[in-house]
């Protein structure tokens, strides 16, 4: 009885004519594809690192026990009740939402508003302002701070390591006042961008707004910004794309030749 063959159905068995030509075609294809694949991998590894995060003011609501809960509503929409604690932290945060940097001071309404008597027809809201660290501030650290009563944060002669100290305040405002109105009462001037994003509290920082920051700590232009770099170097994406097209084209040519010469 003839032993069963392990060759693919319809193909020549081991040692039959055609194996040599097929092996040569495979060798030629490998010689074509390997350098191109290596180029694609090299270019991909040379691509810029993803941004580490954003530098901005995050908004929090104080809870029992001094903990903080991230505010899902913006300050122009959120209406804090009487006895609430609004917290603000300027920092470089890896992600938004719950992963943003929290205020480092535990806000206590009783302590912050102890010297602000209750008034009929008004509500009291405690505010905690944490201006962050020099590392958080980056290039914004030397910004001047206007309207701040904190010592050591004068507008003139601030150095790169000058960051306002944390402070608290108690606002007595109308019952329907939003958190933005509360903040404007105790920490002017505020600065917003054209999209309504809060950029500065008590004039800090002087410039920038939600800047995207690279892994090395350098601020990057926001996506779609007209201020993006226009360097003269080659476009990594175009080169990698071209190499990938060449790989696919080489594979198509090999397949066509294989069909013509089985």
């Amino acid at each position: 009885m003839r032993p069963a063959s392990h060759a693919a159905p319809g193909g020549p068995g081991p040692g039959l004519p055609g194996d040599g030509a097929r092996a040569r075609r495979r060798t030629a294809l490998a010689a074509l594809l390997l350098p191109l694949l290596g180029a694609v991998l090299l270019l991909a590894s040379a691509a810029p690192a993803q941004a580490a995060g954003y530098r901005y003011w995050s908004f929090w609501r104080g809870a029992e026990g001094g903990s903080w809960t991230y505010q899902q509503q913006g300050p122009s929409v959120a209406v804090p009740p009487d006895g609430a604690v609004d917290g603000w932290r300027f920092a470089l945060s890896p992600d938004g939402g719950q992963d943003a940097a929290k205020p480092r001071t535990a806000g206590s309404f009783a302590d912050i508003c102890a010297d602000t008597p209750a008034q009929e027809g008004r509500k009291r809201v405690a505010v905690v302002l944490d201006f962050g660290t020099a590392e958080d501030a980056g290039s914004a650290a030397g910004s001047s701070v206007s309207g701040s009563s904190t010592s050591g944060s004068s507008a003139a002669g601030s150095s790169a390591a000058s960051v306002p100290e944390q402070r608290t305040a108690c606002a007595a405002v109308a019952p329907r006042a939003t958190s933005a109105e509360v903040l404007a009462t105790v920490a002017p001037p505020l600065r917003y961008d054209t999209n309504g994003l809060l950029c500065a509290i008590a004039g800090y920082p002087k410039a920038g707004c939600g800047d995207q920051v690279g892994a090395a700590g350098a601020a990057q232009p926001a996506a779609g910004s007209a201020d993006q770099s226009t360097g003269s170097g080659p476009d990594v994406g175009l080169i990698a794309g071209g190499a990938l097209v060449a790989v696919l084209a080489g594979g198509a040519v090999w397949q066509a030749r294989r069909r013509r010469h089985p």
Side-chain angles (χ1 to χ4, degrees):
M1 180 180 294
R2 185 176 180 181
S5 171
H6 294 284
L16 296 180
D19 280 355
R22 181 171 299 175
R24 286 193 296 273
R25 285 197 295 269
R26 289 175 178 170
T27 302
L29 178 63
L32 171 67
L33 296 183
L34 287 177
L36 292 174
L37 288 173
V40 171
L41 293 175
L42 179 62
L43 290 169
S45 65
Q50 292 185 348
Y54 294 86
R55 183 176 287 123
Y56 66 102
W57 280 101
S58 58
F59 180 30
W60 302 83
R61 174 61 52 81
E64 292 292 335
S67 61
W68 294 101
T69 301
Y70 186 79
Q71 278 282 46
Q72 300 296 331
Q73 294 180 313
S76 61
V77 176
V79 178
D82 182 57
V85 180
D86 281 356
W88 295 90
R89 169 72 190 271
F90 185 78
L92 171 60
S93 297
D95 296 298
Q98 300 293 339
D99 294 327
K102 301 178 181 181
R104 292 168 293 171
T105 297
S108 168
F109 175 82
D111 293 340
I112 296 173
C113 290
D115 297 329
T116 303
Q119 305 175 39
E120 186 175 355
R122 310 285 285 179
K123 67 179 178 182
R124 292 178 300 167
V125 179
V127 180
V128 174
L129 300 177
D130 186 342
F131 294 85
T133 66
E135 181 180 1
D136 289 327
S139 60
S143 304
S144 62
V145 180
S146 58
S148 173
S149 60
T150 305
S151 61
S153 59
S154 61
S158 58
S159 67
S162 174
V163 176
E165 295 178 0
Q166 301 177 62
R167 60 187 175 102
T168 61
C170 184
V173 293
R176 295 300 302 167
T178 65
S179 289
E181 293 171 317
V182 169
L183 192 59
T185 301
V186 299
L190 307 181
R191 177 168 56 87
Y192 293 87
D193 71 357
T194 55
N195 296 317
L197 177 65
L198 181 60
C199 306
I201 296 176
Y204 184 86
K206 185 177 180 180
C209 191
D211 295 330
Q212 186 178 13
V213 179
Q220 304 292 331
S225 170
D227 192 32
Q228 292 180 355
S229 173
T230 55
S232 59
D235 190 309
V236 172
L238 290 177
I239 296 176
L244 182 58
V245 169
V247 170
L248 296 176
V253 170
W254 177 77
Q255 290 286 355
R257 290 178 176 174
R258 183 179 179 184
R259 293 191 188 99
R260 289 197 301 268
H261 305 287

